Amino acid sequence: MANSILLNTDVAFRCKKVYVGWDSCSHFVNLDPTPSSPEPIDSTAHVTSKALSIKLPVTPQTPKHRTRNETAYPFNSSTPAISNHITDSQRTTLQLKVVVPPLPQSSDANDYKVFHVESPAKEPKQVVSKKRKREEANGNSVLAPSKDQRALSDAALTTLQELASDIFEAENDAQSQTNSEDLSNRKAYFVPHEVDGNVSLTINSETNIKLDSCLQKVITLARFKDVPISQLCKIQDLCEGALIFADLLDVTIEAGWGSDEISDWVDRAESVDAALRSARTVLRIMVGGRDEKQLYSEELLQKILSLLYKVMDTCVSPVVESRTCGTESSVFAIASVQKKVILQLLHNATKIMLLLLELLMKVDLAEATVTSIEFFVIRLLFVENAHVEKESVLGIHKFESIRRTAMNLTAQLFLRYSEQRRFILDEVLVSLQKLPINRQQARQYKLEDGTNIQLVSALLMRLVHSCATRSVPQLAKRRKITLDENASAAAPRSGGHEDENSGSEDSEHSSAAENNNIEGHMVDNRKQGATSIARLAKNVRLLYDAAGSNAQYIVEFFVLRASTASRTGDQPHRHLLDMFVGDLVSVLNLPDWPASELLLRALFARMERITSSDKSTAPMKNMALEVLGSAGSAILDVTSNARQLAKSLENDDSELSATLVQSFQDHLANQLEDGALLSWTGTYRAVLEYLGRNSSDPQTIGAQSYFLTQWTKLVLWGNNSTSTNIQTSPVQSELANKLSKVGSSGKWSIGDDFEMVSGIQCRLAYDLTILNVGFGRAFNQIFQILLRAVRSDQTTVRSRGLKSVTQMLEKDPTLLDRMPHVIRLIINSASDQSPMVRDSSLTLIGKCIVLQPALEAQVLETVLGFTNDAAASIRKHSMKLLKDMYLRTKSQKTRAEISENLLNRVDDLDEGVADLARQMFEDIWLVPFWNLSSVQNSSVERELALKDQVALMIQTIQRGERTSQVLEPLLVHALGSKSKNSDANTIACKAMVAAAFQGIIDTAELPDRPEQGSILETLTVFSRACPRLFTQLQLEHLQPYIANLSTADDLNIFRSVVVILRCVMPTLPAMQKDFLKQVQEDLLRNITKLAKAELDEVVACLWTINGALGNMEKLVNMEINVLNKLYSSRLVGFADAKQNSELSKLKRLILLAGHFAKHCNFEPQSEKFSSKLSWWAGSSVAQCVIDSIRPYAAKVQPVSLRSVAMDNIGMICQAWPKNFNRPEITLMFQQVLKDDEPELQRIVLSSFRDFFTVQDHQIEVKVSSGERDPLAHGKLGGSMTASDNDGAAALIAQGFLKDILRIALSSQGSYALTATEVVASITRQGLVHPKECGPALVALETSTNPKIAEVAFQQHRNLHQQHESMFEREYMRAVQEAYSYQRDVAKDLKGYTTQPFRSKLHLMYEVVKTSKSKYQSKFFANFCAKVDFDVTKLDVSANPPTHLQYARFLVENLAFFDYGRVEDVLQATSCMEKIVASTGAGIAHAINTEVFLVRLEPGLETSTCAVEQASSTVEAPLEEVDQVRLRQVTTASMILSMLWEARTFLKRLYGVSASQHKRENKAKASKDLSKPPTKTGGITGDKFVDSINRTMSALDTRDLALAQCREFADLLAIDNEVKVPTEDGEDDGGRLKTPSVEDDGEFLMPPSGGSKATKRKGSVSISGTPHKKKRGRPPLGGRRKSTKSVDENDDSY
């Protein structure tokens, strides 16, 4: 005891610094020789019972004072420590005495300070609180050693000394023994090793284990100070031998080893393992707390680190990175067998690292040693561990444990050596790219709550914690090892006579180093005039600012590298940022990681600057918006978590729980004051109390320190981080003083006046702190930034903003209630020009509906509008969303609107959309009502649902005629034999028909009481689609509705009933004749009251009934009567207005005659007709009827009468096609088609269309497998099928096609649509060569009438599939036809449509994309060739010139094609480049020589171009230029400039770089060429269109023409070294080459209209003149070309 006191006193006299506590921010403070309150100092030290007062001389840092001190205490420099000369026997009789020599005469009172040490014997008895008792029960109290403990410590010390003596004795014996003597004693402790012929002894593993155990016990029992220094040095020397020998061994595992090599490796590994145990022994001595400097050899530490590096880097790490497959599989197999050996090495290496960590906490190491440790641990942090156990030899968790130790070492280095902080940060951040991208592999650091994050994320947060933590422990002594190699060699290791002044010098060096870091700028606790609050404020500010600075540095590193990388690129920085943000979000609400809030705050500030900067590119803004979306969602998660925690504490009786719950309620109401959180009993106190339970964990200690610093900072300055004014209210001053004492005490369990804090209470308290500091309070700013992004002028930014808003709304749906303008902003985005933004808007609308169902009514119209979107993917998306809305809503009106829109998509041009619509119809209308026929499924609920469905169908059909037209084929498809669910769908439809008939009998049976006419109209759809759904009894219920026909409503019901009867009766097995006769009488009685539509149905129904009754006489007599009346009126002039009444009667007679001739087969009754019609002598009744009607189609008759006559003649010809072949009929139709009478043309074309429609239907029936026409067979018979169809069809195609095509291509109205349908039918049946109709179909595809375009596209696609090789040769003629159609009919010569930009020939190109690769390549070559021209034959007389307009049409189409393959883009751009290079060279030469009249001065070489030698040329007056020639070359340059603009736009739109272009052209067989190209975000084509419009105006004035010529000449001759601003605001640029014809098709040129040319490249050769290859070195003064062209980065479009 005396020895310890004397030794410590001796050291205390030699120290020049005293550690004083955290109120001075945990730093050494110089003892100033002039104290603030000098007092007289006595010359003696007084020891009393109350306190020990020791007067010590203060050693200043000047030579004068040092000399004075040596005079006062001469033994300090010459006398070794007293304890080294005290024997064990003397120790027992020694008594404590403090001998203070008298002061010398030169002493100064200011050199001394009085220390008052309280006597421990007289300390007042303290009352132990309940919490303290609980802590003592947990083993946290420190008790005075008892007698038994003293005996144990003596025994442990004795055991260690005896073991050391035995080892030393064995060593001495081994050195004195010869080889023949007994070596048993040596083998017990040593292992011999032969190195270079010399045998050396190293301590074996067993001995090291015993030594380490004994040393650990002695240190634990506080007796390590009693071990002689000579023994410790000797043990270290013996252990050093093992380290030296292990350094010579190689423990690398090589692939392909045999058993011998593996056996040798095992022996080497055992020797290295022994060396690791020796290293543990050495380090155990170093961490024991001894002050002797010779125990801390830097050389020995370097050897330990070298051994550790060898084991981990050459053995363990390769094994960890090996896998079962790949090149390391052999290593994996060997290591798996030797797993036990490797695990032992890993275990000892981990123990060494733990000892190094302890050493770092106690001892200052030299810079070289620190650097070595840094490199080692950082390298170890980024070893790639396996992500599944079967791929790991050692086990995932075993290696992760050593990485955690490496992380603790890194954090300790960062904490202790502040001058190394930036270096450590840089090394960690630069090594990030070694991390695996896969999230599962990367996140292997498991937290206490089960969350997995990246180890590096945890480390970075630990490092931020360290910045706000005291860098020197309060209660541990530290020594600085600064020995260099010479000093280490000179220092004695065996004795204790070291020069003690060296320690003083080391202290000076330490002081100098400390002054270079943050602590060096702290304020002296004893500085005159400074208050404690001011000192605390400055210290806390420095600590907190250091943490903030390093957090910003980390964030800046991630952001800068991620902003230049993408997820699809080779660099992983974008993924790393995402994972880092995800980790911060994961731990945001965990009290152990408070630095996550600071990092997220810095991240938010950085992202806010990016989004607000005009210089930020679209990818950077997208990255920022994505991060902000994650950050905002994290805040919402914290709020949600706090809400759940508060709810769980509502019933807790604890006072703290009640306070926390109330505080959270105040926070939600925006009424929470900072004082409630920052008070001494507030949330910060609760969190620190809870964290104080685990004060031994380095991570928790760092979190506690950071949290305390943050608390103190907020107390002093509040949430205003930029404020410099300290809040000095009495309450805050008192609180600051308390916090200062907490920091000084080092006890994180602050006091005894606070209740025990549970985990739930701590988390709620911590959530409250997060929500009320910088990042938590930034939520509204984040959300506003995202909303502003939705209104951005950049497409991708708008889309990303919508996605981020969606992410936040999913977290907190109440945002829609609190911010009603959000939904309006989303709806406005639905009309955005970009499909990407519209799709994002649709996604967000869907999320909003799910979160807030009440919004459905507000957004329904918007979603319905999406079903007609130009993008097929958006149409599909909207349909799926509508289906969800349909299933959720109970409103029949809403369901009807949705059903109508879904039904309209059945005939969509996109097959995928049409198939989806058909499937959705079945899902929402039929599937819910399957299996209704069974008794167990006919519940009341199902019956009610069925009636609701019938009412819905009725309401949907009433919304428009098109709905019923679409629904009929849809039902045919669902009920047909090809449908997989045909039987189930039939059952459902039968049930619906039955429910509808109940509604006819009593409308109250159906919801909303629909009218009978509406119900019957719905039933007509079912009857046409599937007559099998009806029963005979149901038809009998309909008979009364045709008996009385008096009003218009009766007429609608009458028509529906007749349709049902006509369709259903042929399919029923038997019908009662009385019923049929009654129906026949009712129909005949009302037949004269019917219009054309009803008459057609009635006559068809009468003929069907006649098949069952066999009563044709009534029909024959009626027809004969009508024909006689027609014949008698043939000579009447109905053009006279007086004949109007007779005209109406005649029209009625014509209708009756035509419809009976159409539906009834009177041919067997021809003889009866001949006998009754004396004026007719023919053999065909149909011909007789036509001849009776034909006189009324003559030109002398009124148009209304001619229309009726021709319409009925056409109907009869459809039923009896051979009449089309009659010359008089053919001549009549030809005359109508040639005359300008649109109404008559429509009638003739409609007749042709209806005829071909019947033919198409018959063809479909024939080709369908096993499908038979239900109307053509049955017991009641069916309509007559003609036998002359083929001849009539061929006649129409050959005789009328040219006129039909002319009509189709002359307008875009209903007549043109009918003509287009006829053309489609003719080509569909193969009646003409595809060349005759193909170009017209392509032209009609460009029509603004969507129906015309749809019909033409469908047939064009069919033709192409059938005749690909032949049809592709007609495409250029088709393009010319399309241009003429747009010019003459559409009156729009632009080659694109807007909103969004799309080629007018896009439908044609969609068909071309289905061709083989060689045909597609030929297509682009031919298409671009149409742009090319011969300048000598260029006609420029028109204004604008014809070819210029045509070229513009072609170029704009090329620019806006939706290219399907990368190869297509390259092919198109290559063709454009070749045309510009070949044709453009001659044009440029003509411009220079003929327009600008450039002349070379004498003496210039003829090989030098005038353009290149501009300084030596003479330009002639421009007035001499011929105007015609100027117009000609200007037109030529305009065409080529537009072509080059399109090429540049395509390369930027699809991201085609020059190097890629060259590479792809040389490897066309590559699979990448067949992949779809990826469009660059944010490029819409607006600037391309502006450029084209600007070019087209070049002929407006002479000056513009000259400017265009000069610009084009520069384009061909000069490199533009500029940065072209992109559409997103990014300026990129590069060196470009003048276009030239090359073998590989690579052309690099700037876009026309570029900025100022800066360098002239070469001469412009006349077309056809080859370029000479430059030789020799480039000029010294020339600038080197950039390897990146503007094509790679310029997004100006």
Side-chain angles (χ1 to χ4, degrees), residues 984-1020:
N985 292 336
T986 301
I987 292 174
C989 290
K990 280 186 176 181
M992 293 177 186
V993 170
F997 269 97
Q998 294 178 9
I1000 294 175
I1001 298 172
D1002 183 5
T1003 56
E1005 290 290 330
L1006 297 178
D1008 301 329
R1009 290 179 171 269
E1011 297 180 355
Q1012 288 180 335
S1014 300
I1015 300 174
L1016 287 169
E1017 186 178 353
T1018 302
L1019 288 173
T1020 59

Side-chain angles (χ1 to χ4, degrees), residues 582-600:
D583 292 340
L584 296 180
V585 168
S586 298
V587 302
L588 179 61
N589 62 343
L590 299 182
D592 292 338
W593 305 95
S596 60
E597 184 275 331
L598 181 60
L599 287 165
L600 285 172

Side-chain angles (χ1 to χ4, degrees), residues 367 462 587 605 823 1517 1664:
E367 182 177 357
R462 289 277 304 273
V587 302
I823 192 64

Side-chain angles (χ1 to χ4, degrees), residues 1568-1618:
D1568 292 339
L1569 292 177
S1570 60
K1571 294 180 179 179
T1574 302
K1575 291 185 179 181
T1576 304
I1579 300 180
T1580 59
D1582 291 319
K1583 293 190 177 181
F1584 167 74
V1585 172
D1586 294 341
S1587 178
I1588 295 297
N1589 292 334
R1590 185 175 61 252
T1591 302
M1592 288 297 294
S1593 65
L1595 292 176
D1596 292 349
T1597 64
R1598 186 172 183 274
D1599 291 340
L1600 291 175
L1602 293 173
Q1604 169 63 31
C1605 291
R1606 189 182 300 278
E1607 187 177 7
F1608 182 75
D1610 291 344
L1611 174 68
L1612 267 290
I1614 301 174
D1615 284 344
N1616 289 345
E1617 187 169 299
V1618 297

Side-chain angles (χ1 to χ4, degrees), residues 961-974:
E961 183 181 356
R962 175 171 170 76
T963 304
S964 59
Q965 294 174 353
V966 174
L967 182 58
E968 181 180 337
L970 195 57
L971 286 171
V972 172
H973 177 270

